[in-house]
Protein backbone atom coordinates (compact mmCIF):
# COMPACT_ATOMS: atom_id res chain seq x y z
CA UNK A 1 0.00 0.00 0.00
CA UNK A 2 1.29 3.43 -0.90
CA UNK A 3 1.43 5.39 2.37
CA UNK A 4 3.46 8.42 1.25
CA UNK A 5 3.30 9.15 -2.45
CA UNK A 6 6.25 10.23 -4.56
CA UNK A 7 6.01 13.93 -5.26
CA UNK A 8 8.77 16.35 -6.18
CA UNK A 9 11.17 15.96 -3.22
CA UNK A 10 10.91 18.79 -0.72
CA UNK A 11 14.68 19.35 -0.95
CA UNK A 12 14.31 20.15 -4.65
CA UNK A 13 11.53 22.65 -3.88
CA UNK A 14 13.64 24.28 -1.15
CA UNK A 15 16.75 24.51 -3.34
CA UNK A 16 14.69 26.07 -6.17
CA UNK A 17 13.19 28.56 -3.69
CA UNK A 18 16.65 29.50 -2.43
CA UNK A 19 17.84 30.15 -5.99
CA UNK A 20 14.78 32.29 -6.74
CA UNK A 21 15.64 34.54 -3.81
CA UNK A 22 19.42 34.46 -3.77
CA UNK A 23 21.26 37.20 -5.70
CA UNK A 24 23.22 35.84 -8.67
CA UNK A 25 26.31 37.47 -7.19
CA UNK A 26 26.19 35.25 -4.10
CA UNK A 27 29.26 33.00 -4.03
CA UNK A 28 27.11 29.96 -3.15
CA UNK A 29 24.72 30.37 -6.10
CA UNK A 30 26.50 27.99 -8.52
CA UNK A 31 27.07 25.37 -5.82
CA UNK A 32 23.37 25.36 -4.96
CA UNK A 33 22.43 25.22 -8.66
CA UNK A 34 24.69 22.18 -9.14
CA UNK A 35 23.08 20.52 -6.12
CA UNK A 36 19.61 21.21 -7.53
CA UNK A 37 20.48 19.70 -10.91
CA UNK A 38 21.96 16.61 -9.25
CA UNK A 39 18.86 16.10 -7.14
CA UNK A 40 16.56 16.62 -10.12
CA UNK A 41 18.43 13.87 -11.99
CA UNK A 42 18.13 11.66 -8.91
CA UNK A 43 14.38 12.31 -8.75
CA UNK A 44 14.00 11.11 -12.33
CA UNK A 45 15.86 7.95 -11.35
CA UNK A 46 13.58 7.42 -8.35
CA UNK A 47 10.48 7.85 -10.53
CA UNK A 48 11.75 5.16 -12.89
CA UNK A 49 11.46 2.61 -10.05
CA UNK A 50 7.74 3.20 -9.55
CA UNK A 51 7.00 0.65 -12.29
CA UNK A 52 8.52 -2.05 -10.07
CA UNK A 53 7.03 -0.82 -6.79
CA UNK A 54 3.55 -1.11 -8.33
CA UNK A 55 4.15 -4.86 -8.71
CA UNK A 56 4.58 -5.43 -4.98
CA UNK A 57 1.63 -6.97 -3.06
CA UNK A 58 -0.40 -4.03 -1.75
CA UNK A 59 -1.58 -5.89 1.34
CA UNK A 60 1.98 -6.71 2.41
CA UNK A 61 4.21 -3.76 1.55
CA UNK A 62 3.81 -0.29 3.03
CA UNK A 63 5.62 2.17 0.74
CA UNK A 64 6.86 5.58 1.89
CA UNK A 65 8.71 7.80 -0.59
CA UNK A 66 10.98 10.77 0.18
CA UNK A 67 10.96 10.69 3.97
CA UNK A 68 12.69 13.63 5.66
CA UNK A 69 13.21 12.68 9.30
CA UNK A 70 14.70 14.86 12.06
CA UNK A 71 18.12 13.75 13.29
CA UNK A 72 19.03 16.25 16.02
CA UNK A 73 20.16 19.39 14.14
CA UNK A 74 20.48 17.47 10.88
CA UNK A 75 18.07 15.89 8.43
CA UNK A 76 17.91 12.26 7.36
CA UNK A 77 16.41 11.73 3.91
CA UNK A 78 15.30 8.28 2.74
CA UNK A 79 14.46 7.86 -0.95
CA UNK A 80 12.05 4.97 -0.30
CA UNK A 81 11.23 2.96 2.80
CA UNK A 82 9.41 -0.37 2.45
CA UNK A 83 7.86 -1.81 5.60
CA UNK A 84 6.37 -5.30 5.88
CA UNK A 85 5.27 -7.32 8.91
CA UNK A 86 8.59 -9.24 8.66
CA UNK A 87 11.21 -6.57 7.87
CA UNK A 88 11.86 -3.00 6.73
CA UNK A 89 13.95 -2.05 3.72
CA UNK A 90 15.73 1.29 3.25
CA UNK A 91 16.23 1.96 -0.47
CA UNK A 92 18.78 4.48 -1.73
CA UNK A 93 18.60 5.35 -5.43
CA UNK A 94 21.65 6.50 -7.43
CA UNK A 95 20.98 7.86 -10.92
CA UNK A 96 24.49 7.97 -12.34
CA UNK A 97 26.19 7.22 -15.64
CA UNK A 98 29.45 5.43 -16.49
CA UNK A 99 31.22 2.81 -14.42
CA UNK A 100 30.58 2.88 -10.69
CA UNK A 101 32.93 1.25 -8.18
CA UNK A 102 32.02 0.51 -4.58
CA UNK A 103 35.33 -0.21 -2.82
CA UNK A 104 34.45 -1.83 0.52
CA UNK A 105 38.10 -2.05 1.63
CA UNK A 106 38.80 1.68 1.45
CA UNK A 107 35.12 2.65 1.82
CA UNK A 108 35.15 4.70 -1.36
CA UNK A 109 32.69 5.26 -4.17
CA UNK A 110 34.08 6.20 -7.58
CA UNK A 111 32.48 7.11 -10.89
CA UNK A 112 34.39 6.76 -14.17
CA UNK A 113 33.00 8.59 -17.20
CA UNK A 114 35.06 9.11 -20.37
CA UNK A 115 38.17 7.91 -18.52
CA UNK A 116 37.72 10.60 -15.86
CA UNK A 117 37.35 9.57 -12.23
CA UNK A 118 35.26 11.37 -9.65
CA UNK A 119 34.73 10.44 -6.01
CA UNK A 120 31.43 10.55 -4.14
CA UNK A 121 30.36 9.87 -0.54
CA UNK A 122 30.42 6.18 0.28
CA UNK A 123 26.79 5.01 -0.22
CA UNK A 124 27.07 2.03 2.13
CA UNK A 125 27.87 4.32 5.07
CA UNK A 126 24.84 6.44 4.20
CA UNK A 127 22.33 3.57 4.11
CA UNK A 128 23.83 2.02 7.23
CA UNK A 129 23.18 5.32 9.06
CA UNK A 130 19.58 5.19 7.84
CA UNK A 131 19.35 1.56 8.90
CA UNK A 132 20.54 2.38 12.44
CA UNK A 133 18.15 5.36 12.64
CA UNK A 134 15.09 3.23 11.82
CA UNK A 135 16.20 0.52 14.25
CA UNK A 136 16.59 3.07 17.06
CA UNK A 137 13.25 4.66 16.20
CA UNK A 138 11.56 1.25 16.51
CA UNK A 139 13.26 0.54 19.84
CA UNK A 140 12.53 3.99 21.28
CA UNK A 141 8.84 3.61 20.44
CA UNK A 142 8.42 0.15 21.89
CA UNK A 143 8.13 -1.88 18.70
CA UNK A 144 9.35 -5.49 18.46
CA UNK A 145 12.90 -5.92 17.01
CA UNK A 146 11.98 -5.71 13.33
CA UNK A 147 14.93 -6.49 11.00
CA UNK A 148 15.95 -3.42 8.98
CA UNK A 149 17.84 -3.98 5.72
CA UNK A 150 19.16 -1.68 3.00
CA UNK A 151 19.38 -1.73 -0.77
CA UNK A 152 21.38 0.54 -3.09
CA UNK A 153 19.73 0.75 -6.52
CA UNK A 154 21.42 2.15 -9.64
CA UNK A 155 18.58 3.47 -11.78
CA UNK A 156 20.54 4.39 -14.93
CA UNK A 157 20.10 1.38 -17.20
CA UNK A 158 23.30 2.20 -19.12
CA UNK A 159 25.65 2.30 -16.14
CA UNK A 160 27.76 -0.60 -14.89
CA UNK A 161 28.89 -1.17 -11.33
CA UNK A 162 31.42 -3.22 -9.40
CA UNK A 163 31.54 -4.10 -5.70
CA UNK A 164 35.06 -4.96 -4.55
CA UNK A 165 36.96 -5.54 -1.32
CA UNK A 166 36.67 -7.74 1.77
CA UNK A 167 33.05 -6.81 2.54
CA UNK A 168 31.79 -7.32 -1.00
CA UNK A 169 30.11 -10.59 0.06
CA UNK A 170 27.79 -8.58 2.34
CA UNK A 171 27.29 -5.56 0.07
CA UNK A 172 26.74 -7.30 -3.30
CA UNK A 173 23.30 -8.76 -2.44
CA UNK A 174 22.34 -5.29 -1.23
CA UNK A 175 23.15 -3.51 -4.50
CA UNK A 176 21.44 -3.86 -7.86
CA UNK A 177 20.23 -2.13 -11.00
CA UNK A 178 16.58 -1.18 -11.36
CA UNK A 179 15.56 -4.18 -13.45
CA UNK A 180 16.74 -6.55 -10.68
CA UNK A 181 14.94 -4.70 -7.88
CA UNK A 182 12.14 -7.24 -7.44
CA UNK A 183 14.65 -10.12 -7.36
CA UNK A 184 16.55 -8.40 -4.56
CA UNK A 185 13.32 -7.84 -2.61
CA UNK A 186 12.56 -11.55 -3.03
CA UNK A 187 16.00 -12.24 -1.49
CA UNK A 188 14.97 -10.35 1.65
CA UNK A 189 11.58 -12.08 1.75
CA UNK A 190 13.34 -15.44 1.95
CA UNK A 191 15.77 -14.09 4.53
CA UNK A 192 12.92 -12.89 6.79
CA UNK A 193 9.87 -15.15 6.30
CA UNK A 194 8.23 -14.64 9.71
CA UNK A 195 5.92 -11.75 10.60
CA UNK A 196 6.94 -9.68 13.61
CA UNK A 197 4.59 -6.69 13.44
CA UNK A 198 0.81 -6.99 13.59
CA UNK A 199 -1.35 -5.11 11.07
CA UNK A 200 -2.23 -2.59 13.78
CA UNK A 201 1.44 -2.00 14.65
CA UNK A 202 2.29 -1.62 10.97
CA UNK A 203 -0.38 1.05 10.44
CA UNK A 204 0.63 2.86 13.62
CA UNK A 205 4.31 2.89 12.61
CA UNK A 206 3.55 4.26 9.13
CA UNK A 207 1.33 6.98 10.57
CA UNK A 208 4.10 7.98 12.99
CA UNK A 209 6.73 8.18 10.22
CA UNK A 210 4.49 10.42 8.11
CA UNK A 211 3.94 12.64 11.16
CA UNK A 212 7.71 12.88 11.69
CA UNK A 213 8.30 13.93 8.09
CA UNK A 214 9.62 17.51 8.26
CA UNK A 215 10.74 19.96 5.53
CA UNK A 216 14.55 20.21 5.87
CA UNK A 217 14.68 24.00 5.45
CA UNK A 218 17.07 24.80 8.29
CA UNK A 219 19.36 21.92 7.32
CA UNK A 220 19.79 23.10 3.71
CA UNK A 221 20.30 26.76 4.61
CA UNK A 222 22.89 25.72 7.18
CA UNK A 223 24.58 23.31 4.76
CA UNK A 224 25.31 26.12 2.30
CA UNK A 225 25.92 28.79 4.92
CA UNK A 226 22.95 30.87 3.76
CA UNK A 227 21.44 33.33 6.24
CA UNK A 228 17.82 34.33 5.86
CA UNK A 229 19.07 37.90 5.57
CA UNK A 230 20.83 36.81 2.33
CA UNK A 231 17.48 36.01 0.71
CA UNK A 232 15.49 38.58 -1.24
CA UNK A 233 11.92 39.25 -0.14
CA UNK A 234 8.91 40.44 -2.12
CA UNK A 235 6.48 38.92 -4.61
CA UNK A 236 8.14 37.56 -7.75
CA UNK A 237 6.83 38.07 -11.27
CA UNK A 238 5.50 34.76 -12.66
CA UNK A 239 6.34 35.92 -16.20
CA UNK A 240 9.88 37.33 -16.07
CA UNK A 241 11.10 36.48 -12.54
CA UNK A 242 11.54 40.10 -11.44
CA UNK A 243 11.03 41.00 -7.80
CA UNK A 244 9.65 42.76 -5.92
CA UNK A 245 6.31 43.34 -7.63
CA UNK A 246 4.21 46.39 -6.74
CA UNK A 247 0.62 46.26 -5.52
CA UNK A 248 -1.38 48.28 -8.04
CA UNK A 249 -5.04 48.26 -9.11
CA UNK A 250 -5.74 45.38 -6.69
CA UNK A 251 -3.21 43.22 -8.56
CA UNK A 252 0.54 42.65 -8.62
CA UNK A 253 2.30 44.76 -11.25
CA UNK A 254 5.74 44.09 -12.68
CA UNK A 255 7.73 47.24 -13.53
CA UNK A 256 10.02 45.20 -15.80
CA UNK A 257 7.56 43.45 -18.15
CA UNK A 258 4.48 45.63 -17.36
CA UNK A 259 2.29 42.58 -16.68
CA UNK A 260 -0.26 42.06 -13.94
CA UNK A 261 -0.96 39.01 -11.78
CA UNK A 262 -3.86 38.43 -9.43
CA UNK A 263 -2.34 35.63 -7.35
CA UNK A 264 1.46 35.95 -7.55
CA UNK A 265 1.49 36.28 -3.74
CA UNK A 266 0.62 32.56 -3.47
CA UNK A 267 4.04 31.68 -4.91
CA UNK A 268 5.61 34.06 -2.41
CA UNK A 269 3.75 32.28 0.39
CA UNK A 270 5.06 28.95 -0.85
CA UNK A 271 8.61 30.33 -0.74
CA UNK A 272 8.02 31.64 2.77
CA UNK A 273 6.83 28.23 3.99
CA UNK A 274 9.80 26.53 2.31
CA UNK A 275 12.44 28.93 3.58
CA UNK A 276 11.19 30.54 6.79
CA UNK A 277 8.43 28.73 8.65
CA UNK A 278 5.34 26.60 8.08
CA UNK A 279 3.15 29.30 9.59
CA UNK A 280 2.80 33.04 9.02
CA UNK A 281 1.07 36.04 10.60
CA UNK A 282 -0.43 39.00 8.78
CA UNK A 283 2.46 41.17 9.98
CA UNK A 284 5.05 38.69 8.67
CA UNK A 285 3.15 38.41 5.38
CA UNK A 286 3.15 42.20 4.94
CA UNK A 287 6.87 42.41 5.64
CA UNK A 288 7.70 39.58 3.25
CA UNK A 289 5.51 40.81 0.37
CA UNK A 290 6.18 44.54 0.97
CA UNK A 291 2.49 45.24 1.56
CA UNK A 292 1.52 48.34 3.52
CA UNK A 293 -2.22 47.94 4.09
CA UNK A 294 -3.39 45.56 6.82
CA UNK A 295 -6.81 44.91 5.28
CA UNK A 296 -5.21 43.99 1.92
CA UNK A 297 -2.96 41.45 3.62
CA UNK A 298 -5.90 39.90 5.51
CA UNK A 299 -7.95 39.65 2.32
CA UNK A 300 -5.11 37.98 0.41
CA UNK A 301 -4.47 35.53 3.24
CA UNK A 302 -8.06 34.31 3.11
CA UNK A 303 -7.41 31.56 0.59
CA UNK A 304 -8.79 28.07 0.03
CA UNK A 305 -5.21 26.82 0.43
CA UNK A 306 -4.74 28.19 3.96
CA UNK A 307 -6.14 27.39 7.39
CA UNK A 308 -5.88 29.69 10.38
CA UNK A 309 -6.06 29.73 14.18
CA UNK A 310 -6.44 32.62 16.61
CA UNK A 311 -8.13 35.97 16.20
CA UNK A 312 -7.13 39.49 15.18
CA UNK A 313 -3.39 40.18 15.59
CA UNK A 314 -2.89 36.72 17.09
CA UNK A 315 -4.18 34.96 13.99
CA UNK A 316 -1.73 32.49 12.41
CA UNK A 317 -2.09 31.10 8.89
CA UNK A 318 -0.73 27.76 7.73
CA UNK A 319 -1.17 25.58 4.61
CA UNK A 320 -4.01 23.02 4.48
CA UNK A 321 -1.69 20.75 2.49
CA UNK A 322 1.91 21.23 1.48
CA UNK A 323 3.16 21.72 -1.11
CA UNK A 324 0.02 22.75 -2.97
Amino acid sequence: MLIKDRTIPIKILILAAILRRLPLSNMKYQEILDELRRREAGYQGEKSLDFYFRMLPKDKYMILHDLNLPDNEFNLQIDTLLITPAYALVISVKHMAGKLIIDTENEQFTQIVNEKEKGYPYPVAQVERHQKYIKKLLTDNGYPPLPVEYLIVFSNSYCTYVVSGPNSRKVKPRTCKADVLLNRIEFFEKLYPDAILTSKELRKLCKYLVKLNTPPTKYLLKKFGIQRSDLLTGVQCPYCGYLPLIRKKQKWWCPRCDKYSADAHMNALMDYFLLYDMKITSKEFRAFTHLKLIHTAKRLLHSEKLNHTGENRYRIYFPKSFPW
Side-chain angles (χ1 to χ4, degrees):
M1 181 186 297
L2 187 59
I3 304 298
K4 186 177 181 298
D5 202 357
R6 189 187 305 286
T7 55
I8 299 176
I10 199 75
K11 284 187 178 180
I12 288 180
L13 297 177
I14 293 170
L15 289 168
I18 292 173
L19 291 175
R20 280 194 294 272
R21 297 189 173 273
L22 195 65
L24 287 170
S25 58
N26 189 287
M27 61 185 298
K28 293 288 184 177
Y29 191 95
Q30 187 60 48
E31 184 182 350
I32 297 171
L33 180 60
D34 292 342
E35 174 85 358
L36 174 62
R37 287 170 176 168
R38 184 179 67 80
R39 289 194 173 275
E40 285 175 335
Y43 173 52
Q44 294 305 314
E46 292 169 28
K47 283 172 59 179
S48 69
L49 299 184
D50 289 344
F51 171 78
Y52 303 101
F53 288 131
R54 284 194 290 266
M55 296 183 184
L56 294 173
K58 292 183 180 179
D59 58 340
K60 183 176 181 180
Y61 281 89
M62 305 294 109
I63 306 173
L64 299 97
H65 294 303
D66 189 34
L67 275 177
N68 289 277
L69 305 174
D71 187 14
N72 295 320
E73 59 183 298
F74 301 101
N75 171 267
L76 182 140
Q77 191 264 334
I78 298 176
D79 294 335
T80 297
L81 178 64
L82 302 183
I83 309 177
T84 78
Y87 74 99
L89 181 61
V90 174
I91 298 179
S92 176
V93 184
K94 304 295 179 187
H95 191 68
M96 305 171 74
K99 182 178 181 179
L100 309 171
I101 303 170
I102 298 178
D103 178 358
T104 63
E105 181 176 9
N106 299 299
E107 297 186 323
Q108 293 184 151
F109 183 43
T110 307
Q111 177 191 42
I112 302 175
V113 179
N114 297 326
E115 299 182 353
K116 292 183 179 179
E117 290 191 15
K118 186 175 181 181
Y120 289 91
Y122 188 53
V124 179
Q126 179 193 52
V127 288
E128 285 181 343
R129 283 196 302 273
H130 295 176
Q131 181 186 42
K132 290 175 183 175
Y133 181 98
I134 298 298
K135 283 183 177 180
K136 185 176 185 301
L137 182 144
L138 291 167
T139 301
D140 291 348
N141 287 276
Y143 287 96
L146 186 74
V148 180
E149 283 284 357
Y150 68 81
L151 187 60
I152 300 167
V153 183
F154 299 108
S155 58
N156 189 327
S157 58
Y158 298 104
C159 78
T160 61
Y161 77 92
V162 175
V163 180
S164 65
N167 289 321
S168 59
R169 199 181 189 110
K170 175 187 175 184
V171 174
K172 274 184 180 179
R174 291 163 176 82
T175 55
C176 70
K177 293 183 68 173
D179 56 349
V180 189
L181 174 62
L182 295 178
N183 292 347
R184 286 291 189 269
I185 291 176
E186 188 176 343
F187 164 79
F188 293 116
E189 287 181 348
K190 292 178 180 177
L191 203 61
Y192 305 106
D194 301 323
I196 293 177
L197 296 182
T198 64
S199 297
K200 183 179 179 180
E201 287 172 327
L202 199 58
R203 290 193 300 271
K204 184 180 177 182
L205 174 59
C206 290
K207 187 176 180 180
Y208 180 62
L209 286 167
V210 171
K211 185 179 179 180
L212 274 184
N213 188 65
T214 308
T217 297
K218 293 179 181 177
Y219 162 76
L220 283 174
L221 290 174
K222 186 174 182 180
K223 176 182 177 180
F224 293 104
I226 301 296
Q227 303 296 321
R228 287 178 175 174
S229 57
D230 297 328
L231 302 172
L232 302 172
T233 58
V235 176
Q236 190 171 38
C237 178
Y239 305 105
C240 71
Y242 176 84
L243 63 80
L245 298 185
I246 298 170
R247 191 70 184 170
K248 187 177 180 182
K249 299 179 181 178
Q250 296 188 332
K251 291 184 179 181
W252 297 101
W253 173 68
C254 177
R256 177 194 283 171
C257 67
D258 196 30
K259 290 184 179 179
Y260 286 86
S261 172
D263 58 359
H265 61 281
M266 295 306 296
N267 291 333
L269 269 173
M270 177 74 82
D271 284 355
Y272 186 94
F273 293 141
L274 287 167
L275 300 174
Y276 288 76
D277 200 349
M278 289 299 291
K279 60 184 184 298
I280 192 170
T281 64
S282 176
K283 182 178 179 180
E284 290 166 338
F285 178 65
R286 294 199 309 273
F288 189 70
T289 58
H290 302 184
L291 274 173
K292 295 179 180 179
L293 300 177
I294 296 175
H295 74 272
T296 301
K298 287 183 177 180
R299 181 168 55 82
L300 293 178
L301 284 168
H302 280 277
S303 165
E304 71 279 0
K305 295 180 181 179
L306 297 175
N307 278 331
H308 65 266
T309 58
E311 296 297 331
N312 301 321
R313 63 194 180 104
Y314 299 107
R315 178 165 288 186
I316 296 171
Y317 299 85
F318 54 94
K320 291 181 179 179
S321 61
F322 191 81
W324 53 67

